[in-house]
Every structure is written in structure tokens, then in C-alpha cells.
Amino acid sequence: MSEPANTQPSPTPAPQRRFDISHYIHKVSTRDGWLGDYDFGWLCTPVLPFMKTKKSRLPPFYAIDAQLPLLLAIVCGLQHALAMLAGLITPPYVP
């Protein structure tokens, strides 16, 4: 007998990650591990109307499973923690 038409495919297993200490040593001890190739100028430089540039820069993009540079991960984590703190503090002050 054939299967019903509304059955879902079986889920694919998650990739197995193995512990590799050399990856973490490289991440902490090299400039590439700390800074990577991220364009920090795009992150920190404001774009003002009177400062028109000839070419528009697109924001850097990282995929879901991409390895972030440590400095970028720390900065984004701090920003996220401050945003959560502001979300907790703000409601009591709103009348």
C-alpha cells in the first residue's frame, strides 16, 4: 500500500561538530581570528547627506553558521546586552 500524500519528509540530522583545539588557538592568537575581514569602517562611520560618496557600500553579511571574528562577536554581544537592559528599564518609566 502507498503512503498518504500529506506525509512529511524525515528531518536531516544536524552536522556533527568535533572539538578541535587548534581551531580555538588560531581564533584567539591571530589577527585574522580577532578582526577577520570585516569592514569596521562601515560599522562605525556615519553616512550623512552632505557626505555623498560615489559608490554605495553594502553592509557586510555573515551567514547563519559563519564563524564571526571575536571582536565583532564581542561588540555585537555587548550591543545586544545593552538593548535587553534598555528593554527592561524603559517600561517602568513610560506613563
Side-chain angles (χ1 to χ4, degrees), residues 23-39:
H23 170 74
Y24 296 105
I25 290 173
H26 178 268
K27 190 80 157 170
V28 174
S29 64
T30 62
R31 183 175 192 265
D32 183 51
W34 278 95
L35 299 176
D37 60 352
Y38 190 78
D39 183 13

Side-chain angles (χ1 to χ4, degrees), residues 12-89:
T12 57
Q16 296 294 325
R17 297 179 191 234
R18 64 184 251 273
F19 181 75
D20 186 13
I21 192 72
S22 65
H23 170 74
Y24 296 105
I25 290 173
H26 178 268
K27 190 80 157 170
V28 174
S29 64
T30 62
R31 183 175 192 265
D32 183 51
W34 278 95
L35 299 176
D37 60 352
Y38 190 78
D39 183 13
F40 286 96
W42 180 89
L43 183 66
C44 301
T45 307
V47 178
L48 302 173
F50 59 86
M51 295 176 53
K52 300 229 180 224
T53 59
K54 293 184 180 180
K55 71 173 198 170
S56 63
R57 297 184 323 190
L58 294 175
F61 176 77
Y62 282 98
I64 291 176
D65 292 333
Q67 294 290 323
L68 293 177
L70 288 176
L71 183 63
L72 180 63
I74 292 169
V75 168
C76 290
L78 178 64
Q79 185 271 339
H80 186 76
L82 291 174
M84 290 189 303
L85 185 64
L88 287 172
I89 294 173

